[in-house]
Amino acid sequence: MAIASQVVAWAFANPVLTALCIFLVFLVVFAVQIAIKLKPGPNPFAQDCARPPAPVVSDSSARDKVIKQGFTPQKVPTDLDAIVVGSGIGGLSVAGILAKAGKKVLVLEQHDQAGGCCHTFVEKGYEFDVGIHYIGEMATNTITRTYIDQLTEGQLLWEPIDKNYDTIVIGEGEKKKFFKMEAGSKTLFRDCLVGHFPEEEQAIDKYLFHMREQRVHMQTAFLLKMLPMSVCQLLISTGMINAMTKYFKYSAISLQRFLDSITENPDLKAVLSYCFGDYGTIPEDTSLMMHMLLMNHYMYGGFYPRGGASEIAYHIIPVIEKAGGRVLVRAPVSQILIDSDGAACGVRVTKATGDVDIHAPLIISDAGLVNTYQKLLPIETVKKHDLMDKFKGTRTALAGFSLFVGLKGTAEELELPKRQYWVFTNNDLNGITKTYASLSAAEAMNAKIPLLFISFPSAKDPTWEERYPGKSVCTLVTLANWEWFQEWETRRINHRGDAYEAVKKGISDRMWERVLELFPKLEGKVDYFEAGSPLTNKFYLAQNSGEMYGLDHNTERFSAETWTNLRPDTPVPNLYLTGQDILTCGFAGAMYAGLLCSSKILNRNLIGDLSSLKAKKKKAK
């Protein structure tokens, strides 16, 4: 093996031999495909299905008939082609694609409405989003916009937010510093950063270079999710993958290590890493490539769904139903059924009236890797395939804590911005986050919030004033320690006691104090004030430790081995995975995981199909 490694190393020192080796690899892949002789499935993107959008439906009863269809055995379609566990965007996207390919799909959701992190809730006349704050790459000429347009038949519209899409605030009191992030073009993005740090132009250009590198090498990294596992293992074990792409070289570098290598300016480091809260991993632990992926995502602007985040599920579900499928809620899946041959063959829904077993030839889990492998599959199946041993180095991400505030007054009257604010107590983002997470619950109740995300959804949605006249909302998010709330885990929701409510209130009050420092006009305007703790996330989103982002986005997750193992197809026959654990967190990450999963099931290059449709649409215009 040592000799083989030396030969490989020598070969890749020679550019000609490198190209030859890469060619041979793809020749092997082609031979494997020919040997398997799988017939490609139908192209779900053969025709553009987008049509002129209808007006936003604001009638709650009409919307509930779509996104809140309660489970009963009688509503389950017969002759199912697939069952999807979970109705987050990862699950809905797979179901939508398969439906467009003529498949009858049943989606089962444990919550009382579909959408996962895309759902909204209404309390006392105020509507709140829980996970969709702003999305990138939704301009009309992008592949991502083409994709979501096909899933929703063009009925989901996206409203651009401010060109200054994020504002970063560092410090407290009169020492606060403000840094704006602007999008729209590479030049504008660069000029904005250089404007804040004119003496750091060289460091900023190095940062932008690695953003471009991420885009180039991500394409090859995608291949490892789709190629046969045996081919992936060959590429990794021989080191050939490192000749094909620099992705895994860069992904092994932490964001903080990279920033330390390009600048000594602590404010610039904070500004270049500020949005780590979007994936929940501090800069010293997260992969450089993960962060660059996110920064690229907003390069050309941020967008918000017109009519609110629940529009996403509301417009995908009819596409699923057209093919005979259903999306049913209040349907907690307790087990994935395995037949005598060891293949997935159905699911068990647990209801107070008794268990209901539903069968289908394909089972797709959008419940997350930990839930799927540790809770839904029989232990014998997990042991047989050594399922959890394949993901060493992965861990649960930090928990999330949210605050939902209803305000009296319109966005115009309250002077609410169409952008997000990221507020930090100082520029040591690693230090302040770790110090806060190490506090006890009693200490956290009275501590300053080190990281705070502030969003005003009512200011970003042009339909808001018509739907909720004279009202506005503010959504706040910070990171938290699961252990602060763990002692109340077994208590019923809304019955966890005064001590639990006191911790929630203490943290909530500290969050709102930070908001009033920036927006004093909101003093006295609060009409609704409710927090969501990590236990809330676990109850509504089935997140094991109250996390919002599934598996932690640390460097270990992005190693070649783990990246390859986190794939749509599993060792269990007929069982597939989708959602944010398969690719990355976030709306786009989970949605593309759905595309990869569908590609595996249909045996098609769906990204290529989407690209062809995009080109066809452009030519038609």
Side-chain angles (χ1 to χ4, degrees):
M1 189 65 187
I3 295 175
S5 298
Q6 291 174 3
V7 171
V8 169
W10 172 73
F12 288 135
N14 185 308
V16 175
L17 288 176
T18 299
L20 179 60
C21 286
I22 293 173
F23 172 76
L24 289 174
V25 167
F26 282 101
L27 191 62
V28 169
V29 173
F30 179 75
V32 168
Q33 292 176 330
I34 294 297
I36 295 174
K37 295 182 179 179
L38 288 175
K39 181 181 179 182
N43 178 5
F45 306 119
Q47 300 295 327
D48 179 16
C49 71
R51 49 190 169 82
V56 170
V57 175
S58 56
D59 179 68
S60 59
S61 61
R63 298 181 67 81
D64 288 352
K65 290 178 181 177
V66 177
I67 60 178
K68 293 186 177 183
Q69 300 178 64
F71 174 87
T72 64
Q74 294 74 26
K75 292 180 182 178
V76 175
T78 58
D79 301 320
L80 289 169
D81 293 303
I83 298 172
V84 178
V85 181
S87 69
I89 188 59
L92 289 177
S93 59
V94 167
I97 292 171
L98 294 182
K100 288 171 61 62
K103 306 294 184 182
K104 189 187 295 186
V105 185
L106 172 66
V107 181
L108 298 171
E109 168 60 47
Q110 58 96 26
H111 188 22
D112 65 2
Q113 67 174 292
C117 286
C118 301
H119 85 268
T120 61
F121 69 93
V122 178
E123 288 289 345
K124 294 188 177 179
Y126 294 93
E127 179 183 283
F128 298 97
D129 58 29
V130 299
I132 300 297
H133 307 301
Y134 59 141
I135 305 297
E137 300 182 57
M138 285 300 168
T140 54
N141 61 339
T142 66
I143 190 74
T144 304
R145 178 61 181 270
T146 302
Y147 179 19
I148 191 65
D149 280 352
Q150 298 309 302
L151 286 178
T152 63
E153 297 189 338
Q155 299 306 294
L156 179 63
L157 298 182
W158 297 87
E159 188 72 16
I161 61 176
D162 281 352
K163 180 176 68 173
N164 166 204
Y165 65 98
D166 277 342
T167 293
I168 307 153
V169 184
I170 299 175
E172 302 178 69
E174 296 180 357
K175 295 182 178 180
K176 288 195 295 288
K177 298 178 182 179
F178 292 78
F179 303 91
K180 63 181 182 180
M181 297 296 291
E182 292 192 350
S185 69
K186 296 176 184 176
T187 301
L188 186 62
F189 189 84
R190 179 186 184 277
D191 289 349
C192 180
L193 288 171
V194 173
H196 289 308
F197 302 96
E199 73 286 357
E200 295 284 349
E201 191 169 358
Q202 184 177 4
I204 291 167
D205 283 339
K206 287 182 180 178
Y207 187 86
L208 295 174
F209 169 80
H210 279 81
M211 285 179 63
R212 292 191 295 271
E213 286 284 274
Q214 189 279 331
R215 278 194 175 274
V216 170
H217 296 292
M218 185 68 177
Q219 298 174 25
T220 308
F222 258 63
L223 275 177
L224 288 186
K225 301 283 189 182
M226 303 308 297
L227 292 175
M229 182 62 82
S230 57
V231 175
C232 295
Q233 290 171 341
L234 172 66
L235 293 174
I236 294 169
S237 63
T238 61
M240 282 191 269
I241 189 62
N242 295 319
M244 296 172 61
T245 179
K246 296 178 182 177
Y247 184 87
F248 299 106
K249 170 188 172 184
Y250 292 141
S251 66
I253 301 171
S254 74
L255 172 61
Q256 190 64 49
R257 176 183 160 194
F258 169 71
L259 295 175
D260 290 342
S261 74
I262 65 171
T263 182
E264 296 180 356
N265 188 317
D267 281 345
L268 178 58
K269 292 179 187 180
V271 168
L272 294 180
S273 59
Y274 77 96
C275 57
F276 75 89
D278 271 335
Y279 50 81
T281 307
I282 58 176
E284 68 182 33
D285 290 338
T286 197
S287 166
L288 171 64
M289 294 305 266
M290 172 63 222
H291 190 75
M292 293 308 182
L293 176 66
L294 181 64
M295 296 303 290
N296 272 306
H297 186 59
Y298 292 113
M299 173 75 78
Y300 298 99
F303 298 79
Y304 189 78
R306 183 186 289 256
S310 63
E311 285 285 284
I312 297 167
Y314 182 72
H315 290 302
I316 297 177
I317 291 172
V319 174
I320 299 168
E321 292 177 335
K322 277 186 179 180
R326 297 294 291 270
V327 178
L328 302 178
V329 304
R330 297 190 296 279
V333 172
S334 59
Q335 186 177 335
I336 293 173
L337 305 177
I338 304 296
D339 65 19
S340 58
D341 294 324
C345 62
V347 301
R348 176 165 296 160
V349 176
T350 297
K351 302 289 287 183
T353 53
D355 292 343
V356 180
D357 289 353
I358 309 169
H359 293 88
L362 293 176
I363 308 300
I364 305 159
S365 178
D366 186 35
L369 183 134
V370 174
N371 278 334
T372 304
Y373 286 174
Q374 292 189 355
K375 295 182 178 181
L376 299 182
L377 281 176
I379 188 64
E380 317 85 71
T381 303
V382 175
K383 289 181 177 179
K384 176 182 178 181
H385 298 287
D386 296 323
L387 293 179
M388 293 310 298
D389 290 342
K390 299 178 186 296
F391 307 101
K392 293 176 180 177
T394 60
R395 64 190 187 195
T396 301
L398 284 169
F401 188 102
S402 303
L403 178 60
F404 306 98
V405 184
L407 301 165
K408 294 176 287 187
T410 66
E412 184 177 5
E413 292 167 347
L414 300 176
E415 299 178 8
L416 304 180
K418 290 175 61 178
R419 72 180 76 93
Q420 292 65 231
Y421 278 72
W422 293 82
V423 187
F424 304 93
T425 48
N426 65 54
N427 55 28
D428 180 11
L429 306 192
N430 295 295
I432 59 177
T433 306
K434 290 192 295 184
T435 299
Y436 184 66
S438 69
L439 299 176
S440 67
E443 291 170 331
M445 292 168 59
N446 299 297
K448 282 190 174 293
I449 304 298
L451 177 162
L452 185 63
F453 173 84
I454 305 172
S455 173
F456 299 98
S458 52
K460 293 180 280 190
D461 179 7
T463 73
W464 177 274
E465 182 59 27
E466 180 183 347
R467 297 188 295 126
Y468 301 101
K471 298 180 177 182
S472 297
V473 292
C474 176
T475 302
L476 311 172
V477 184
T478 191
L479 298 176
N481 187 335
W482 165 251
E483 293 178 0
W484 296 343
F485 304 93
Q486 194 170 9
E487 65 179 282
W488 299 289
E489 182 180 5
T490 58
R491 302 275 189 91
R492 283 192 300 136
I493 188 170
N494 297 324
H495 293 83
R496 295 188 175 122
D498 293 341
Y500 168 74
E501 294 299 333
V503 175
K504 278 177 57 180
K505 185 178 186 305
I507 296 174
S508 300
D509 288 345
R510 303 294 83 75
M511 293 169 75
W512 191 243
E513 286 169 2
R514 294 287 280 164
V515 174
L516 292 180
E517 291 175 15
L518 295 169
F519 303 97
K521 201 162 186 176
L522 302 185
E523 183 77 56
K525 301 294 184 181
V526 175
D527 191 39
Y528 176 82
F529 194 85
E530 184 57 56
S533 77
L535 292 179
T536 312
N537 296 337
K538 181 165 186 174
F539 180 82
Y540 290 109
L541 301 176
Q543 302 285 25
N544 287 284
S545 298
E547 71 277 9
M548 297 177 289
Y549 306 119
L551 294 177
D552 194 25
H553 291 70
N554 55 357
T555 52
E556 289 84 354
R557 172 174 174 169
F558 291 89
S559 68
E561 294 83 359
T562 303
W563 174 266
T564 302
N565 284 326
L566 291 170
R567 57 196 289 116
D569 51 319
T570 75
V572 181
N574 303 337
L575 176 63
Y576 293 82
L577 303 178
T578 184
Q580 58 188 6
D581 286 351
I582 302 310
L583 199 56
T584 69
C585 71
F587 177 82
M591 190 170 68
Y592 275 106
L595 189 72
L596 293 178
C597 183
S598 302
S599 295
K600 274 289 186 180
I601 292 171
L602 297 175
N603 191 37
R604 291 194 67 94
N605 176 9
L606 293 181
I607 294 179
D609 292 335
L610 264 180
S611 298
S612 297
L613 177 61
K614 177 176 172 286
K616 187 189 301 184
K617 286 166 63 71
K618 183 177 180 180
K619 184 177 180 181
K621 287 184 178 180

